[in-house]
Amino acid sequence: MCRELREPMVLSSRRAARTLCAVKRLLTRRWVATHALVVALVVLFLLLGWWQLQRAETGNSRSWAYTLEWPTFALMIVGFWLKIMREELHPKPEPGGESAAGARRVRRRRARAGAGDAAEDPELAAYNRYIAELAERRDRS
């Protein structure tokens, strides 16, 4: 989560901060490379469509199909690109998965349940305390 959202703000500035946060997420090195690849592929596919149109006009009948195929590929690339950006900004919860709070409760219950077994083994008890401490630290951050 972006730092701007943690500070108290007016409603309109919160919306602006969320938008800025979303834009920042799509400007990492990986995403800039993805954007550049998409632009390059779209330009390439449109140029290939134009080339096939020129060939079709000179009498190559098979090129008429390719004239429509290459721009269709360009549209598919744009559609996939929009889809992965939308999934990055609005991830879907895993099917059958629990909320983060529910998962924390389950981890705590398991840690408490394991405490009875740990009474028999001091090494296991120390390990379980360590794991519980790590889980609490992660929950706080």
Side-chain angles (χ1 to χ4, degrees), residues 100-118:
R104 274 186 242 125
R105 283 192 298 269
V106 168
R107 282 195 304 269
R108 287 184 188 133
R109 260 189 257 131
R110 286 181 183 163
R112 279 188 227 123
D117 299 336

Side-chain angles (χ1 to χ4, degrees), residues 42-112:
V42 168
V43 169
L44 174 68
F45 290 167
L46 292 177
L47 286 174
L48 286 170
W50 180 257
W51 171 62
Q52 289 296 332
L53 176 65
Q54 291 175 340
R55 289 190 65 204
E57 288 175 342
T58 61
N60 187 345
S61 60
R62 189 180 313 155
S63 291
W64 285 111
Y66 293 121
T67 299
L68 298 175
E69 190 175 68
W70 287 112
T72 303
F73 289 157
L75 287 174
M76 288 173 57
I77 291 287
V78 170
F80 291 141
W81 178 54
L82 292 173
K83 182 180 185 299
I84 62 171
M85 284 193 303
R86 186 171 42 247
E87 288 175 355
E88 174 72 20
L89 296 176
H90 308 287
K92 294 180 183 176
E94 294 181 17
E98 297 180 358
S99 66
R104 274 186 242 125
R105 283 192 298 269
V106 168
R107 282 195 304 269
R108 287 184 188 133
R109 260 189 257 131
R110 286 181 183 163
R112 279 188 227 123

Side-chain angles (χ1 to χ4, degrees), residues 2 16-27 88-90:
C2 286
R18 276 195 303 260
T19 303
L20 180 62
C21 182
V23 169
K24 284 181 180 179
R25 284 172 48 191
L26 294 176
L27 290 177
E88 174 72 20
L89 296 176
H90 308 287

